[in-house]
């Protein structure tokens, strides 16, 4: 005869200590709900008959990991499924399969699996994988489809908070992470989620339309931002060229002094056009408006001095526009590059501006110190950024009357809207000129009509 009693918390606590191995106690309220003794613990179970009148037992869990209330509710749900003609074991298996599928959809599983395979075929793909893993550690075990706007807001707030200095370390107080740094990481995550949607791993992009909150700019930042996107005044252009010449003369004087004081083995710089890469590099940026990264990566294979063109893949947009683009270069720059080419021994391949230290590609910051020297020697404003040369190139083209589409292509902007946003206001006001012409014409017609009226009178 089955032993029965209501399986309350108090009863289960007692049975956990009293019920022998294999012993069972059945609940008085829920038919089929019972516990079975194990070695030192209780198995919570439901016994039922399926549609084929076969007896089945479903283990709900272990008492202790499931409470008495949870076990009773699980038993009710299982018996309700039986009453509707279903099989709770099949439902449980489906739930487990769904849980496994959800596990495969975690950020970690997708990042370390399909997305790593995808990124390995891209430039700096490994860096993208590291960035996501490093900056979103708390999300790695989450199903991708469960990410929410609230998750993003909490993440941004945490990242922008000032980190606490490590104990026992006498270091400067670490700074919060900048908005641009956070945006690069967040954009990388957005791209991963879009990739998962495209491959039907998740049904929809959970963070579509969710953007990071931009911080308010300080007055200093607003002034700095305004100074960056500007063109050079004529006197500043003259100062730039004077600064480049002064830089060359300073380097020559330094070399003469070194050779005269025991270092005669150093090359003579008095009889070469360029003392190093600085002047031709700066002039290349001035005459093309190229981003620094594209000049650091410029190769002689990209340059056609006969036809005056540069044909290369633009690095910033290479991920969605991998085809090379052709840029015409002006005669002054052709002469600069031709002279630099001869001075370098007329190589047929390799970097146009290799590092003078190791011959490899220069670091992104390699021109900061030389630019500061040129700027100082030329008397240019201290806050003038090297990147202003790119903005000057576009600005001067627009002010000279070049159409916006052409300027956009020469700047290698991914969208003409970018060119319009930053440079269209500099275009000559042809609309005003047209309106003024209309007024002049109407005024002339009015005077003619008045003269005719006087004549007839």
């Amino acid at each position: 005869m089955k032993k029965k009693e209501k399986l309350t918390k108090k009863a289960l606590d007692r049975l956990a200590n009293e019920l022998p191995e294999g012993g069972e106690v059945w609940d008085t309220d829920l038919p089929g709900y019972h516990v079975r003794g194990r070695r030192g613990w209780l198995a919570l179970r439901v016994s039922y008959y399926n549609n084929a009148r076969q007896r089945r037992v479903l283990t709900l869990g272990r008492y202790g990991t499931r409470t008495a209330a949870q076990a009773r509710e699980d038993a009710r749900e299982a018996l309700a499924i039986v009453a509707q003609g279903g099989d709770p074991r099949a439902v449980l298996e489906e739930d487990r399969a769904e849980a496994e599928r959800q596990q495969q959809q975690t950020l970690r599983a997708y990042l370390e699996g399909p997305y790593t395979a995808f990124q390995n075929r891209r430039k700096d793909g490994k860096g993208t994988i590291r960035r996501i893993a490093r900056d979103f550690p708390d999300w790695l075990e989450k199903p991708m489809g469960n990410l929410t706007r609230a998750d993003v807001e909490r993440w941004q707030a945490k990242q922008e908070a000032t980190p606490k200095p490590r104990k026992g370390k006498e270091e400067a107080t670490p700074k919060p992470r900048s908005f641009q740094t956070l945006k690069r990481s967040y954009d990388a995550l957005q791209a991963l989620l879009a990739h998962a949607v495209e491959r039907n791993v998740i049904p929809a992009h959970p963070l579509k339309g969710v953007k990071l909150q931009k911080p308010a700019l300080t007055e200093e930042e607003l002034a700095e931002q305004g100074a960056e996107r500007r063109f050079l005044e004529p006197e500043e252009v003259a100062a730039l060229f004077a600064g480049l010449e002064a830089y060359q003369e300073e380097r020559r004087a330094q070399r003469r002094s070194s050779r005269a004081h025991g270092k005669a083995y150093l090359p003579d710089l008095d009889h070469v056009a360029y003392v190093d890469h600085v002047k031709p590099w700066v002039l290349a940026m001035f005459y093309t408006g190229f981003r620094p990264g594209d000049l650091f990566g410029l190769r002689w294979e990209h340059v056609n001095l006969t036809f005056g063109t540069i044909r290369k893949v633009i690095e910033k947009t290479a991920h969605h526009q991998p085809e090379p683009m052709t840029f015409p270069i002006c005669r002054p720059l052709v002469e600069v590059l031709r002279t630099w080419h001869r001075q370098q021994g007329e190589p047929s391949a390799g970097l146009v501006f290799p590092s003078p230290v190791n011959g490899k590609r220069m670091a992104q910051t390699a021109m900061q110190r030389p630019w500061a020297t040129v700027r100082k020697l030329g008397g240019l404003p201290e806050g003038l950024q090297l990147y202003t040369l790119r903005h000057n190139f576009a600005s001067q083209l627009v002010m000279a009357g070049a159409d916006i589409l052409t300027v956009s292509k020469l700047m290698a902007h991914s969208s003409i809207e970018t060119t319009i946003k930053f440079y269209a206001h500099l275009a000559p006001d042809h609309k005003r000129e047209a309106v003024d012409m209309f007024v002049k014409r109407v005024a002339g017609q009015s005077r003619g009509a008045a003269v005719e009226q006087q004549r007839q009178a």
Side-chain angles (χ1 to χ4, degrees):
M1 184 175 177
K2 293 180 180 178
K3 185 177 180 181
K4 293 186 178 183
E5 67 176 285
K6 187 169 183 178
L7 298 177
T8 62
K9 179 181 183 302
K10 184 177 180 180
L12 291 174
D13 288 341
R14 176 176 49 78
L15 291 171
N17 296 318
E18 295 179 356
L19 198 62
E21 174 78 15
E24 295 179 346
V25 177
W26 296 69
D27 189 71
T28 53
D29 291 353
L30 289 176
Y33 175 42
H34 64 283
V35 294
R36 185 179 180 88
R38 300 296 188 194
R39 292 183 180 177
W41 57 278
L42 292 178
L44 304 161
R45 313 200 318 168
V46 171
S47 176
Y48 65 95
Y49 287 91
N50 63 15
N51 292 333
R53 302 306 301 165
Q54 295 171 322
R55 185 174 181 273
R56 292 285 185 264
V57 175
L58 173 66
T59 299
L60 302 173
R62 175 176 179 169
Y63 181 58
T65 60
R66 304 293 291 168
T67 66
Q70 289 171 336
R72 184 168 293 276
E73 184 59 31
D74 291 345
R76 281 199 184 98
E77 291 180 2
L79 293 170
I81 293 171
V82 173
Q84 294 172 6
D87 187 341
R89 289 184 66 179
V91 173
L92 180 62
E93 289 173 1
E94 290 177 4
D95 289 345
R96 287 174 177 167
E98 175 62 18
E100 186 176 345
R101 189 182 72 83
Q102 289 283 344
Q103 180 64 27
Q104 293 302 316
Q105 291 180 339
T106 62
L107 181 57
R108 182 189 299 279
Y110 197 70
L111 179 68
E112 296 178 354
Y115 204 59
T116 292
F118 169 72
Q119 285 292 342
N120 281 343
R121 298 190 293 271
R122 299 168 67 85
K123 181 181 178 181
D124 198 30
K126 293 181 179 178
T128 299
I129 297 298
R130 286 195 301 269
R131 176 184 289 276
I132 296 172
R134 178 194 68 213
D135 290 347
F136 301 96
D138 296 341
W139 296 3
L140 290 176
E141 307 308 327
K142 281 191 172 187
M144 292 181 289
N146 291 356
L147 296 173
T148 66
R149 181 186 296 272
D151 289 328
V152 175
E153 292 172 349
R154 284 193 293 268
W155 175 79
Q156 183 176 4
K158 181 179 178 181
Q159 295 295 315
E160 288 176 342
T162 302
K164 295 180 180 179
R166 288 177 290 179
K167 291 183 178 179
K169 299 278 185 178
E170 294 185 4
E171 300 174 351
T173 303
K175 295 181 179 180
R177 303 184 73 191
S178 71
F179 176 78
Q180 290 302 324
T181 299
L182 297 184
K183 189 174 184 302
R184 282 194 292 272
S185 297
Y186 185 63
D187 287 349
L189 177 73
Q190 285 271 7
L192 177 146
L193 295 172
H195 187 271
V197 172
E198 183 182 342
R199 282 149 180 79
N200 298 316
V201 177
I202 53 177
H205 195 312
L207 300 180
K208 186 175 183 180
V210 178
K211 297 181 179 180
L212 298 182
Q213 298 299 308
K214 290 185 178 180
L217 296 178
T218 64
E219 290 185 10
E220 181 179 353
E221 287 171 331
L222 286 169
E224 185 176 303
Q225 189 179 71
E228 289 177 353
R229 292 191 182 275
R230 71 176 186 87
F231 56 87
L232 300 178
E233 299 292 347
E235 58 271 21
E236 290 179 318
V237 175
L240 170 64
F241 280 80
L244 289 171
E245 287 306 314
Y247 173 86
Q248 295 241 115
E249 287 307 312
E250 184 178 85
R251 289 297 308 275
R252 287 187 176 112
Q254 291 171 349
R255 180 56 55 88
R256 284 194 294 270
S257 176
S258 297
R259 284 168 58 86
H261 292 82
K263 295 184 178 180
Y265 58 86
L266 294 175
D268 179 10
L269 297 181
D270 286 329
H271 299 93
V272 292
Y274 301 118
V275 297
D276 57 19
H277 65 280
V278 171
K279 183 177 180 180
W281 193 101
V282 171
L283 290 176
M285 187 170 184
F286 178 81
Y287 284 122
T288 64
F290 275 7
R291 298 177 181 90
D294 286 309
L295 286 176
F296 289 134
L298 185 64
R299 302 181 65 84
W300 288 115
E301 300 96 298
H302 302 150
V303 182
N304 189 319
L305 294 173
T306 303
F307 292 98
T309 59
I310 290 175
R311 181 171 172 79
K312 76 182 299 289
V313 174
I314 297 302
E315 297 188 3
K316 185 176 180 179
T317 56
H319 58 287
H320 62 77
Q321 189 176 342
E323 301 80 14
M325 301 174 66
T326 301
F327 303 88
I329 52 178
C330 60
R331 290 181 182 177
L333 182 55
V334 170
E335 290 306 312
V336 168
L337 293 177
R338 183 173 282 128
T339 301
W340 179 243
H341 187 239
R342 285 197 298 267
Q343 188 173 319
Q344 294 294 100
E346 299 186 342
S348 58
L351 293 168
V352 175
F353 302 111
S355 167
V357 177
N358 55 26
K360 298 180 181 179
R361 176 173 172 141
M362 287 188 282
Q364 286 294 104
T365 58
M367 287 300 296
Q368 289 183 358
R369 184 174 294 179
W371 171 249
T373 302
V374 170
R375 186 176 58 203
K376 182 178 180 180
L377 292 173
L380 289 163
E382 186 176 345
L384 188 70
Q385 302 296 314
L386 181 61
Y387 213 83
T388 304
L389 300 184
R390 174 170 166 81
H391 300 311
N392 178 71
F393 178 76
S395 301
Q396 298 293 351
L397 286 174
V398 172
M399 290 189 293
D403 66 272
I404 293 294
L405 180 58
T406 298
V407 175
S408 183
K409 290 181 178 178
L410 290 173
M411 292 291 285
H413 283 153
S414 58
S415 167
I416 191 173
E417 281 76 14
T418 303
T419 318
I420 293 171
K421 178 180 178 181
F422 293 115
Y423 303 107
H425 67 283
L426 299 172
D429 199 346
H430 297 302
K431 290 182 290 186
R432 182 172 297 281
E433 292 173 7
V435 171
D436 290 343
M437 290 173 60
F438 169 78
V439 173
K440 290 178 182 178
R441 181 173 178 80
V442 170
Q445 291 173 342
S446 298
R447 285 194 297 272
V451 171
E452 180 62 24
Q453 287 176 357
Q454 290 175 357
R455 188 185 66 77
Q456 291 179 357

